[in-house]
Amino acid sequence: QQLALSLTISPIVADRRDLPPGLAGLPFDDPLVINTYIRLIDSLAKGITQTRIRYFLLGNEVDLYFSNHIDEWAHYIRFCEAIAPVARAAFGADCKIGAECTVGSTATAQLPYIQALNANLDVAVFTYYPINDQFIMQPVRVVSADLENLLQRLPGKRIMLEETGYATGTICQGSNQLQADFVKEIFSFWDRHPEQLECICFLWLTDLSLDLARQTAADYGVNGSPIEAAFVDCIRTLGMHTREGV
């Protein structure tokens, strides 16, 4: 039996465009951009023969980029509409196509764009971490309300939490007990909503090294900012085990 995987290609990575060289300045729905990604999908489909692609995702937290480039949303929606049928044909009828956003942006003026993005995709894909804008962990009691609101904002749409987790670091005000409570709460929520919430993926099993967490902070442009310490602590301790495997 073939292993089922989720595969992401990322024209957008969080707050930045990440198109291949030569395409960087083009709109997402430019024919050259679309045709380049069609060729990529064709190449991937020919090369992936020992596994089954269960989810094919277009972009990583794309709403973070569009929060400062709202006029580009329509181009990306058209890009996804063009790519989705190609990916379905390449990876099979049971492969679901989505594009990853953050849960938080569904509570902002970006909601209509997120709804439009998902109108012609198979599954609405999100990342969810109960943190505030200072990267401080929020009480576990917010989880059910946050996710109830998400489901109500996308009525009838199947939803995948492609990334989730709860940090245990002290600077970001997490703990091992709070992480355990979070896991129990999110599975309890899933039990109550299996008809709409179809998949939950925890970000990673093991905490990051401090060096890698600091590099991630640099990648996100928060080095030297007031939130750097909490960001690094949060990103570093999202794993289910410590670096030592405890």
Side-chain angles (χ1 to χ4, degrees), residues 92-104:
D94 64 340
C95 177
K96 294 190 175 184
I97 316 302
E100 187 191 88
C101 297
T102 67
V103 167

Side-chain angles (χ1 to χ4, degrees), residues 10-19 28 60 64-65 219-220:
S10 296
I12 297 172
V13 179
D15 59 352
R16 67 184 187 276
R17 292 165 61 107
D18 197 28
L19 292 171
F28 291 107
N60 170 251
L64 299 183
Y65 174 78
D219 293 342
Y220 277 77

Side-chain angles (χ1 to χ4, degrees), residues 159-185:
I159 288 174
M160 174 191 191
L161 295 183
E162 206 260 339
E163 293 180 21
T164 194
Y166 198 101
T168 60
T170 55
I171 298 173
C172 63
Q173 299 182 23
S175 72
N176 289 333
Q177 185 59 57
L178 289 171
Q179 185 183 72
D181 292 343
F182 169 79
V183 172
K184 292 177 183 177
E185 181 63 23

Side-chain angles (χ1 to χ4, degrees), residues 15 35 42 46 69 78 85 94 100 105 112 127 132 137 165 175 198 218 237:
D15 59 352
N35 288 333
D42 181 63
K46 291 176 180 176
H69 304 87
R78 288 192 289 269
D94 64 340
E100 187 191 88
S105 284
T127 65
N132 65 17
M137 303 310 300
S175 72
E198 71 170 58
T237 64

Side-chain angles (χ1 to χ4, degrees), residues 128 130-131 136-144 146 166 173 178 182:
Y128 175 63
I131 54 176
I136 300 300
M137 303 310 300
Q138 299 300 285
V140 173
R141 64 175 180 271
V142 308
V143 171
S144 286
D146 286 349
Y166 198 101
Q173 299 182 23
L178 289 171
F182 169 79

Side-chain angles (χ1 to χ4, degrees), residues 46-214:
K46 291 176 180 176
I48 299 174
T49 58
Q50 302 302 313
T51 59
R52 179 168 56 91
I53 304 303
R54 183 69 179 86
Y55 296 97
F56 186 76
L57 309 182
L58 301 167
N60 170 251
E61 297 186 329
V62 301
D63 53 298
L64 299 183
Y65 174 78
F66 291 121
S67 65
N68 293 313
H69 304 87
I70 201 80
D71 57 317
E72 294 186 48
W73 257 119
H75 299 286
Y76 198 72
I77 291 169
R78 288 192 289 269
F79 167 82
C80 291
E81 289 174 345
I83 293 298
V86 176
R88 290 189 195 103
F91 298 119
D94 64 340
C95 177
K96 294 190 175 184
I97 316 302
E100 187 191 88
C101 297
T102 67
V103 167
S105 284
T106 65
T108 72
Q110 293 205 77
L111 176 59
Y113 298 101
I114 294 171
Q115 291 169 328
L117 172 69
N118 285 291
N120 294 306
L121 299 180
D122 304 311
V123 61
V125 183
F126 293 94
T127 65
Y128 175 63
Y129 305 97
I131 54 176
N132 65 17
D133 59 3
Q134 299 301 304
F135 278 84
I136 300 300
M137 303 310 300
Q138 299 300 285
V140 173
R141 64 175 180 271
V142 308
V143 171
S144 286
D146 286 349
L147 296 180
E148 287 280 4
N149 288 333
L150 173 66
L151 268 55
Q152 291 172 13
R153 290 165 185 152
L154 292 156
K157 193 73 181 182
R158 296 286 285 178
I159 288 174
M160 174 191 191
L161 295 183
E162 206 260 339
E163 293 180 21
T164 194
Y166 198 101
T168 60
T170 55
I171 298 173
C172 63
Q173 299 182 23
S175 72
N176 289 333
Q177 185 59 57
L178 289 171
Q179 185 183 72
D181 292 343
F182 169 79
V183 172
K184 292 177 183 177
E185 181 63 23
I186 203 165
F187 275 114
S188 176
F189 182 87
W190 194 3
D191 286 342
R192 298 194 301 272
H193 298 279
E195 74 290 342
Q196 193 171 359
L197 184 57
E198 71 170 58
C199 181
I200 294 175
C201 303
F202 293 97
L203 180 60
W204 41 63
L205 293 179
T206 304
D207 286 347
L208 299 184
S209 68
L210 181 58
D211 285 346
L212 183 53
R214 285 172 172 164

